[in-house]
Amino acid sequence: NQVHFADNSVQVMIVSNYAYSFTIKTSALTRIQTYEFLGASDVTVLDSRFVWTIPKSGRFQYSELLNTTTSALNYATAESKSDNIVRSISTNGQLWLIGEKTTEVWSSTGNQNMPFQRMGGATMPVGCIAPNSVCEFGRSLVWLSRSDHGQGQIVMTNGYNVERMSNHAIESEIASYADLSEAYAFAYQDEGHSFMLMSFPSAKKTWCFDASTGQWHERSYLNPKTYLHEHHLASSYCFFNGMHLVGDRKSGKVYRLTKQ
């Protein structure tokens, strides 16, 4: 499955089936397994503290400053509704707690005992059905939504509002897919175009949004063995040394993503 990384310039915290601390200076890798660590399904960093979602709960836990160590008391609960948190992610200096059916925004307080607090009026009645569909897209967040009224829209934040990004054709297509929870997404910018790719593995489909034109298109991978089109080969992304690098969903290969 997807593995999450975050760094505070001193350590890297890695979350997969287990959680690990990697010290950058010494290259020491240790597993985090103290009784005070309550488990993690993702990780982000905000104001020199690691923050992660406690699995299958409405709570998140945070570390000490510039460290991966934590305390059993270093946690808080999303307060607007009793749904579980699907994904915790920091963007624009704020912590977004995206739940199953609601989303709320927290900010830093500077208080050692309670470093984060919920922002008044920054609660949205839209949650997420696929944790790995959450990605940063410019100054916004994008994800595959779920709420009390339905699911399957691709949405994008605009300030403290969540707006519909997909259109009727895309939503009709998504509604036919058997499993939406496994969707994943990433975004990149190339030659003035900002692209967001969201893939649906069970349906073998990838849909791409071009922010420059406001249009959707489909991308695919032609399997040389079956001669059938599948969802895009890239499952992870980073921009490094002037290159768009993507990870192969079928192997350990890393590719350079280009127009060619």
Side-chain angles (χ1 to χ4, degrees), residues 8 37 49 63 71 82-83 96 132 147 174 176 196 209 218 242 251 255 258-259:
N8 61 9
F37 174 66
R49 293 181 188 270
S63 71
S71 163
S82 59
D83 54 338
W96 284 64
N132 293 319
S147 71
I174 291 174
S176 69
M196 188 285 301
F209 181 77
E218 185 178 354
S251 72
Y255 293 99
T258 71
K259 289 174 63 178

Side-chain angles (χ1 to χ4, degrees), residues 36-51:
E36 295 184 300
F37 174 66
L38 304 179
S41 58
D42 56 39
V43 64
T44 188
V45 68
L46 179 61
D47 291 346
S48 300
R49 293 181 188 270
F50 291 108
V51 182

